[in-house]
Amino acid sequence: MPAEASTSRTPSPPLTERQEARRRRILHASARLAGRGGFDAVQMREVAESSQVALGTLYRYFPSKVHLLVATMQDQLERMHGTLRRKPPAGDTAAERVAETLMRAFRALQREPHLADAMVRALTFADRSVSPEVDQVSRQTTAIILDAMGLDDPSPEQLSAVRVIEHTWHSALITWLSGRASIAQVKIDIETVCRLIDLTAPKE
């Protein structure tokens, strides 16, 4: 993301163990409320009560509901990444492994449609002030894809392919959530875009 698009917020110091535990409670409460009723069900006062923090404290961690839900998506992707590392994809090629990985992540979101809808809506509503949280989601998605590819040092062409794959995956989420695409269509689109991985692989 260009520097001028970044927020002016200064980097926060590392959280203490107690602060990290509080942040995790907040994200837990956000996911639980979103899972029950989607975007509109996540009310900051209710999140504060559910996570046992003061409302002012909640706003210090997350200045708005959009900040909170984008951070919740990053947290959910991080959890998925842990699961995928414990049970890696089994495809023979990098393209097959990435497609399998993204479909597994998609199905995990499919099991929580209200939560998925809330997180994707937050990403859609995010303005420049939410850039750090959006960047975290992007970095987490990139890490998941690179892990599936088995790459530590991707070329610029491969990173470009990864970005296009990310865009397609997020777009597929939106079209599925809006009822404009079936799971079968999503699978075809994901498998098709993942072929870019083979096209950008360094020549032997």
Side-chain angles (χ1 to χ4, degrees):
M1 183 169 289
E4 62 269 19
S6 299
T7 180
S8 59
R9 272 192 287 161
T10 54
S12 302
L15 297 179
T16 65
E17 191 174 328
R18 186 175 177 182
Q19 289 170 329
E20 183 60 39
R22 185 181 297 137
R23 185 177 186 275
R24 297 215 68 78
R25 288 203 311 273
I26 292 168
L27 293 172
H28 225 42
S30 169
R32 190 166 58 249
L33 290 167
R36 289 177 188 164
F39 186 86
D40 293 335
V42 180
Q43 301 298 322
M44 296 297 269
R45 186 172 296 281
E46 195 168 345
V47 171
E49 290 173 0
S50 182
S51 55
Q52 299 179 313
V53 301
L55 187 59
T57 301
L58 172 59
Y59 277 108
R60 282 200 296 275
Y61 281 82
F62 303 103
S64 73
K65 180 164 81 169
V66 169
H67 287 83
L68 173 57
L69 282 168
V70 174
T72 301
M73 185 167 195
Q74 193 276 330
D75 185 60
Q76 293 293 311
L77 286 170
E78 191 176 323
R79 290 167 184 267
M80 285 182 203
H81 199 180
T83 301
L84 290 162
R85 279 175 164 164
R86 288 190 294 274
K87 190 179 178 185
D92 292 331
T93 67
E96 288 174 357
R97 291 192 299 274
V98 172
E100 181 190 332
T101 293
L102 292 178
M103 285 310 297
R104 281 168 62 183
F106 189 90
R107 290 189 184 99
L109 292 170
Q110 188 188 3
R111 289 192 289 271
E112 294 269 14
H114 290 306
L115 174 58
D117 182 64
M119 296 187 301
V120 170
R121 283 178 66 182
L123 270 180
T124 305
F125 296 152
D127 60 18
R128 289 184 177 187
S129 73
V130 198
S131 289
E133 289 81 4
V134 172
D135 288 347
Q136 281 284 84
V137 168
S138 181
R139 278 194 291 271
Q140 190 67 57
T141 310
T142 298
I144 288 171
I145 293 171
L146 291 177
D147 257 17
M149 290 170 69
L151 277 184
D152 292 323
D153 189 25
S155 68
E157 292 80 9
Q158 287 171 318
L159 279 176
S160 181
V162 168
R163 284 194 296 272
V164 174
I165 291 166
E166 283 183 42
H167 296 327
T168 303
W169 187 68
H170 285 134
S171 176
L173 268 178
I174 292 169
T175 53
W176 171 72
L177 286 165
S178 65
R180 292 183 286 118
S182 66
I183 299 299
Q185 288 171 312
V186 168
K187 187 172 187 292
I188 290 168
D189 289 351
I190 295 297
E191 289 173 348
T192 299
V193 76
C194 284
R195 290 178 195 148
L196 285 173
I197 292 168
D198 296 334
L199 294 175
T200 55
K203 300 292 185 284
E204 295 291 337

